[in-house]
Amino acid sequence: MLKHLMIEEMVALVSPWIENPQRKRLFLSIPEIAGLHPKVVAAHEAVLAVRPSRSGPSATMSALNDELARVDERHDHLARAVCWGIDAHRAHCLGADPADRERAATCDQVQPKLFPSGLNIIKASPTAEAGNTARVARLLEEEPSIGEFLKGIPAPGKTTLLHTTQRWIKAGKELEAIEHRRDELAAKEKTAPVTKATISAARSQWFRVVSAVLSNLELSDAPSEAIETIRGPLLKASDRAGKRYGGAPAGEGPSVEEPGEPAVGEVEEAGAGDGEIVS
């Protein structure tokens, strides 16, 4: 009866195996199906890409957006650490007895070179932030005395402000790489047509993988409760789908779907599943 399931139901049923931490751990704890998890992920992404009601970003794009946000936050913290680290060092120099005015003056010279607009850079786009850290990397190559100066400012973990600056530059490179991947994916998703053929291919891929999971569970020696937690929602949804198309000849079901067809209540119930088991 799996073939009677709608795309939205297929998405909701497999999503917990990937996105719910407890359900994913349980899936991976069953040896007979653990090796199928990468194929499950691929099949899930395939049906996500063709679901009729898709209005937001794809799962891959969402993951890239989350990764970009994490790296951007790290970039901003490191930029503040470098900027404020120089300010703090300048204050220490002037607060010494006698005051080290020469080194304090060096702080005044280095600070605007690294931060010509102050910390406004952390409010810029990821692309601009990446461009700025590339500029800082060139600056350290062109003026090695700046690196030597930063190397003389202690930082947490028995490191120096030079190490913090290098981490800041690395975060900028990561931002650039993620932005490049996002641009490529956006272009691909924008130009990839969703046709009946692509929907059919995605459904077939999903059926093959999920059928393999169910078959392997039949051979598993895992606790019965664990097995039912994985397959129970699938079997219940499949049974409902079969009754929904009870008037159709045996073995026939909808091969493709049109927008607006999924039954929302059934999809939510299918995705909710039964109680969790924490392995």
Side-chain angles (χ1 to χ4, degrees):
M1 294 296 184
L2 287 177
K3 64 180 64 179
H4 292 308
L5 292 170
M6 300 174 184
I7 289 287
E8 290 290 358
E9 292 172 311
M10 296 160 72
V11 169
L13 287 165
V14 170
S15 178
W17 299 351
I18 301 167
E19 299 173 3
N20 183 300
Q22 290 179 315
R23 194 68 60 88
K24 180 180 177 180
R25 283 198 299 271
L26 180 61
F27 190 104
L28 294 173
S29 73
I30 302 176
E32 291 80 5
I33 63 173
L36 291 172
H37 197 264
K39 292 184 180 296
V40 168
V41 173
H44 182 62
E45 291 181 348
V47 293
L48 274 175
V50 300
R51 59 180 178 175
S53 62
R54 181 180 59 168
S55 58
S58 66
T60 305
M61 183 63 80
S62 294
L64 282 175
N65 289 339
D66 290 343
E67 184 181 0
L68 183 71
R70 289 193 297 271
V71 176
D72 184 46
E73 182 178 16
R74 182 167 7 103
H75 164 278
D76 293 352
H77 283 310
L78 291 170
R80 293 187 188 98
V82 175
C83 184
W84 293 342
I86 295 174
D87 284 343
H89 187 64
R90 178 179 183 278
H92 278 295
C93 291
L94 293 176
D97 187 18
D100 189 345
R101 298 189 182 280
E102 182 178 351
R103 192 160 177 83
T106 303
C107 292
D108 291 335
Q109 295 168 6
V110 170
Q111 187 74 294
K113 290 183 178 181
L114 293 176
F115 299 93
S117 300
L119 281 174
N120 286 330
I121 187 59
I122 66 175
K123 301 176 183 177
S125 68
T127 300
E129 291 175 341
N132 179 68
T133 53
R135 177 193 64 81
V136 172
R138 289 193 300 271
L139 179 65
L140 293 181
E141 291 180 358
E142 295 168 358
E143 298 188 38
S145 60
I146 294 178
E148 287 299 316
F149 168 74
L150 294 172
K151 194 174 182 179
I153 302 177
K158 296 182 179 180
T159 61
T160 68
L161 211 58
L162 176 60
H163 180 257
T164 306
T165 304
Q166 291 168 339
R167 290 182 58 210
W168 176 35
I169 293 170
K170 182 181 178 181
K173 291 180 179 178
E174 291 179 35
L175 287 175
E176 182 179 22
I178 297 170
E179 279 286 76
H180 181 66
R181 285 156 57 197
R182 280 182 3 127
D183 289 343
E184 286 186 336
L185 181 60
K188 181 179 179 181
E189 292 183 344
K190 186 175 181 179
T191 57
V194 177
T195 65
K196 288 188 176 183
T198 57
I199 293 174
S200 179
R203 288 174 63 88
S204 295
Q205 180 181 359
W206 191 93
F207 294 147
R208 288 194 302 271
V209 173
V210 173
S211 294
V213 170
L214 293 177
S215 295
N216 285 12
L217 285 174
E218 292 291 335
L219 305 173
S220 177
D221 294 324
S224 58
E225 189 178 356
I227 292 175
E228 286 308 308
T229 299
I230 295 296
R231 73 180 179 185
L234 265 170
L235 298 180
K236 289 178 182 178
S238 179
D239 184 57
R240 282 197 304 269
K243 293 176 181 177
R244 186 168 64 221
Y245 295 100
E252 293 186 9
S255 58
V256 294
E257 298 163 6
E258 299 299 331
E261 196 175 75
V264 175
E266 293 183 358
V267 172
E268 291 176 348
E269 184 179 351
D274 297 327
E276 298 286 357
I277 299 176
V278 181
S279 59

